[in-house]
């Protein structure tokens, strides 16, 4: 499975971006995968931002609740992250990740897309 992120860029605080993650090479139905967005800022550990399970249920880090929305289009094999009301502390490299629903660890990762938010 290959994951390719896009949509990153530079934006001022309060702005919005939508990240996309195109998946290919699925070995199972796309609906069998749980997907997530992670981010890593310089000098910090990678953290989970949002996830969407194979049944469509979502979860978010407290720091992004109410501002970010994760969604996926199984027909297009694409994962999205709509980011609104961006803050400078959202600046990071964002990665999408995938796993078959019966695994607990993500084992497919994209190369990342940079998001920079200026004040």
């Amino acid at each position: 499975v290959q994951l390719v992120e896009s949509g990153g860029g530079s934006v001022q605080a309060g702005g919005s971006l939508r990240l996309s993650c195109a998946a290919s090479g699925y070995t199972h139905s796309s609906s069998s995968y749980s997907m997530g967005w992670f981010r890593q800022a310089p000098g910090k550990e990678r953290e989970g931002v949002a996830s969407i399970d194979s049944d469509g249920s979502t979860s978010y880090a407290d720091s992004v609740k109410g501002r970010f929305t994760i969604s996926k289009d199984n027909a297009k094999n694409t994962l999205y992250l709509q980011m609104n009301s961006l803050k400078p502390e959202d600046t990071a490299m964002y990665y999408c990740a995938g796993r078959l629903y019966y695994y607990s660890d993500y084992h497919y990762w994209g190369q990342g897309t940079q998001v920079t938010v200026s004040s």
Side-chain angles (χ1 to χ4, degrees):
V1 176
Q2 294 78 44
L3 303 176
V4 179
E5 303 95 333
S6 61
S10 297
V11 64
Q12 289 192 329
S16 298
L17 285 172
R18 188 176 82 155
L19 306 184
S20 299
C21 174
S24 61
Y26 278 142
T27 57
H28 296 70
S29 166
S30 59
S31 60
S32 299
Y33 292 84
S34 295
M35 306 294 293
W37 286 99
F38 293 77
R39 67 186 181 186
Q40 187 167 22
K44 294 187 177 181
E45 291 188 355
R46 185 175 63 196
E47 62 174 347
V49 175
S51 65
I52 183 165
D53 287 338
S54 57
D55 63 359
S57 58
T58 59
S59 63
Y60 298 90
D62 287 344
S63 58
V64 306
K65 280 181 181 176
R67 299 188 298 122
F68 290 11
T69 302
I70 188 171
S71 62
K72 65 176 180 172
D73 186 330
N74 287 331
K76 296 182 178 180
N77 291 345
T78 303
L79 177 73
Y80 302 100
L81 185 68
Q82 178 66 44
M83 306 186 295
N84 299 327
S85 302
L86 282 161
K87 304 176 181 179
E89 51 264 44
D90 295 318
T91 295
M93 184 71 78
Y94 283 71
Y95 301 89
C96 72
R99 59 179 175 85
L100 284 166
Y101 70 92
Y102 45 82
Y103 288 119
S104 58
D105 294 332
Y106 287 93
H107 39 267
Y108 303 115
W109 291 87
Q111 83 291 346
T113 185
Q114 178 68 38
V115 172
T116 302
V117 185
S118 58
S119 56

